[in-house]
Amino acid sequence: MFARMTFYPTLCYNILMEKITSRNWYDRIDETVILGALPFRSMTKQEWQRCNVEFLQLSVTDIFESPCQEKLQLGVKFINKFRNLPTKLNNSHSTDKTYNSGSVYVHCKAGRTRSATLVGCYLMMKNQWSPEEAVAYMQQKRPHILLYTQQWDALRLFHKNYVENK
């Protein structure tokens, strides 16, 4: 209930912070992942249709929760489908070159906590990093990510269960 009541006020806060600070609405984390805030329909609907975007929703309550381990696994698996996805680029300046076109926009309302937890898990799996290394890397790209105890706990548990044992 609290999360629903605070949705619009905190969304307005995010919009304001993007306008008056150096925060970006989204930031590219690596060649596959873009971490950002809630995309507005006016910003993306035509682009998503044109690009034939696949969608995976992992519902997690805002403010005080972290994605469960099952959802983190599903999210990392989804992101990995788009790594090194070859596509042909045909235009007058190119001669049929292959390039990486697989990008995944990972978001929550602000792109700071829930989505950063998922991206941290992806980075740990991809690079065999510790939670601290993954978060430090994300903070270089998106300095305003904000993880609380439950997100750190989720990252550490994911690392223990899926990264350390590989």
Side-chain angles (χ1 to χ4, degrees), residues 97-134:
K97 296 180 182 176
T98 301
Y99 71 105
N100 179 3
S101 69
S103 287
V104 177
Y105 188 83
V106 179
H107 73 85
C108 54
K109 183 174 46 183
R112 301 177 64 201
T113 304
R114 293 170 291 160
S115 56
T117 304
L118 173 57
V119 172
C121 291
Y122 156 76
L123 291 170
M124 289 189 299
M125 286 287 289
K126 175 186 172 199
N127 300 306
Q128 296 298 297
W129 285 346
S130 69
E132 293 76 16
E133 289 171 312

Side-chain angles (χ1 to χ4, degrees), residues 4 15 24 33 46 54 66 70 73 76 78 81 96 110 122 134 155 161:
R4 285 187 180 183
I15 294 168
N24 296 322
V33 171
Q46 289 176 342
E54 283 189 58
S66 179
E70 181 182 2
Q73 281 183 285
V76 169
F78 183 82
K81 286 187 346 184
D96 203 29
Y122 156 76
L155 286 169
N161 292 336

Side-chain angles (χ1 to χ4, degrees), residues 38-84:
L38 179 71
F40 293 106
R41 289 179 195 211
S42 63
M43 297 166 56
T44 59
K45 188 174 182 181
Q46 289 176 342
E47 185 69 18
W48 287 356
Q49 288 174 347
R50 190 173 60 81
C51 295
N52 202 16
V53 169
E54 283 189 58
F55 179 76
L56 173 67
Q57 182 174 351
L58 301 172
S59 297
V60 178
T61 302
D62 192 12
I63 309 290
F64 303 111
E65 290 193 22
S66 179
C68 68
Q69 294 298 301
E70 181 182 2
K71 288 180 180 180
L72 292 171
Q73 281 183 285
L74 286 170
V76 169
K77 185 177 179 180
F78 183 82
I79 292 168
N80 283 330
K81 286 187 346 184
F82 298 91
R83 288 185 55 205
N84 302 318

Side-chain angles (χ1 to χ4, degrees), residues 11-29:
L11 181 61
C12 290
Y13 170 80
N14 293 332
I15 294 168
L16 178 66
M17 293 305 288
E18 194 253 347
K19 301 288 183 211
I20 66 170
T21 69
S22 60
R23 286 185 185 181
N24 296 322
W25 199 251
Y26 58 87
D27 295 286
R28 180 163 286 281
I29 302 300

Side-chain angles (χ1 to χ4, degrees), residues 83-100:
R83 288 185 55 205
N84 302 318
L85 188 66
T87 303
K88 297 293 183 182
L89 172 64
N90 294 308
N91 63 33
S92 59
H93 299 86
S94 167
T95 56
D96 203 29
K97 296 180 182 176
T98 301
Y99 71 105
N100 179 3

